């Protein structure tokens, strides 16, 4: 009778282990059906609205016209007039760099600041 009792205990243990592992491994969708990353403005963070200067730069211009705009961090840059629901605006050819810590290339208008000079050598010992 003892082997039958240990067999039932082993069966119960297997059932408990099988039930405890359900839900931990999630099946992957078939190839080509993976969830795509959210597009900005839909499921992701909202898109930023262009500043008024971007609309002013393209006033009386046509879509695709190249204009010069001045940004606070990068100075004068080239931009292309692009259509939006609110009208034409100047879209930079490359988006401005995000602000960084003081002294970084993005914080100083694209120019990296020079590293500090090395400390002077210690005076000679007598």
């Amino acid at each position: 009778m003892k082997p039958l009792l240990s067999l039932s205990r082993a069966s119960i243990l297997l059932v408990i282990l099988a039930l405890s592992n359900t839900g931990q491994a999630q099946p992957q969708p078939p190839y080509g059906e993976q969830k795509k990353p959210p597009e900005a403005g839909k499921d992701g963070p909202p898109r930023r609205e262009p500043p008024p200067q971007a609309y002013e730069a393209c006033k009386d211009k046509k879509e695709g016209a190249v204009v010069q705009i001045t940004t606070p961090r990068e100075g004068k840059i080239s931009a292309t007039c692009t259509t939006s629901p609110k009208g034409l605006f100047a879209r930079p050819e490359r988006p401005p760099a995000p602000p960084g810590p003081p002294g970084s290339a993005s914080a100083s208008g694209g120019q990296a600041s020079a590293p500090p000079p090395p400390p002077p050598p210690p005076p000679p010992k007598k």
Side-chain angles (χ1 to χ4, degrees), residues 21-121:
N21 284 333
T22 58
Q24 289 184 6
Q26 297 180 1
Q28 295 294 320
Y31 182 76
E33 294 180 21
Q34 284 88 4
K35 186 176 179 183
K36 294 182 173 49
E39 292 182 27
K42 290 186 179 176
D43 293 334
R47 290 182 181 241
R48 292 187 338 198
E49 184 68 27
Q53 298 86 347
Y55 291 100
E56 292 170 17
C58 288
K59 197 173 187 175
D60 301 325
K61 304 278 187 209
K62 294 189 180 207
E63 184 174 10
V66 176
V67 294
Q68 294 290 313
I69 59 174
T70 303
T71 67
R73 291 186 295 242
E74 297 186 24
K76 267 195 173 189
I77 59 171
S78 293
T80 303
C81 293
T82 306
T83 303
S84 79
K86 293 186 176 181
L88 281 179
F89 73 98
R91 173 175 280 165
E93 291 183 6
R94 67 180 173 85
S104 68
S106 60
S108 59
Q111 301 293 324
S113 60

Side-chain angles (χ1 to χ4, degrees), residues 4-17:
L4 184 60
L5 186 58
S6 62
L7 182 61
S8 66
R9 283 185 182 166
S11 299
I12 292 172
L13 184 61
L14 285 174
V15 169
I16 291 172
L17 285 174

